[in-house]
Amino acid sequence: MMSMLNVGSLVLGLIAILLPIASLSATSKLSQHYRLMISILSLSACAISISFQLFYNFHLVKIEDWSALMDITRSSVLAVLFLLVSTILLNILILIFKRNGV
């Protein structure tokens, strides 16, 4: 059950990145109208994805699996950093385009 946290984190991370990309590439007026909502959904997916990683790390601490924790900590931190920076930058682009009416 706890391994599903990693799968959920990966899926939500992809959603967090793909939603703003799809919103920026869409040209219809309907998708431009919903850009702010898409941005909020993207940031929410990013936050839940990061939370899943924290829950999984807490699970490893709780069962005292120190070797697994030491193995995944570096890659988890890098993945979370990439997800957070890319999601924030993409959503800033959405807000800039929404303000300019593009």
Side-chain angles (χ1 to χ4, degrees), residues 28-46:
S28 70
K29 290 289 183 187
L30 182 63
S31 65
Q32 291 175 2
H33 181 68
Y34 290 113
R35 280 191 174 161
L36 189 59
M37 183 182 66
I38 290 171
S39 180
I40 291 170
L41 288 173
S42 171
L43 290 171
S44 298
C46 179

Side-chain angles (χ1 to χ4, degrees), residues 68-98:
L69 193 59
M70 289 187 293
D71 287 343
I72 67 163
T73 300
R74 179 177 170 84
S75 59
S76 293
V77 167
L78 291 175
V80 165
L81 179 66
F82 171 76
L83 175 65
L84 191 60
V85 168
S86 61
T87 303
I88 289 172
L89 289 177
L90 286 168
N91 284 298
I92 287 172
L93 283 175
I94 285 178
L95 293 176
I96 289 171
F97 285 153
K98 178 151 178 65

Side-chain angles (χ1 to χ4, degrees), residues 17-34:
I17 292 174
L18 292 177
L19 275 176
I21 290 173
S23 175
L24 288 170
S25 64
T27 57
S28 70
K29 290 289 183 187
L30 182 63
S31 65
Q32 291 175 2
H33 181 68
Y34 290 113

Side-chain angles (χ1 to χ4, degrees), residues 1-63:
M1 176 68 180
M2 284 299 177
S3 62
M4 293 303 290
L5 288 173
N6 286 330
V7 174
S9 178
L10 180 63
V11 169
L12 286 170
L14 287 173
I15 289 171
I17 292 174
L18 292 177
L19 275 176
I21 290 173
S23 175
L24 288 170
S25 64
T27 57
S28 70
K29 290 289 183 187
L30 182 63
S31 65
Q32 291 175 2
H33 181 68
Y34 290 113
R35 280 191 174 161
L36 189 59
M37 183 182 66
I38 290 171
S39 180
I40 291 170
L41 288 173
S42 171
L43 290 171
S44 298
C46 179
I48 295 170
S49 175
I50 292 171
S51 297
F52 281 178
Q53 282 300 309
L54 289 172
F55 292 146
Y56 185 69
N57 284 350
F58 176 70
H59 167 71
L60 291 178
V61 168
K62 194 167 59 172
I63 65 171

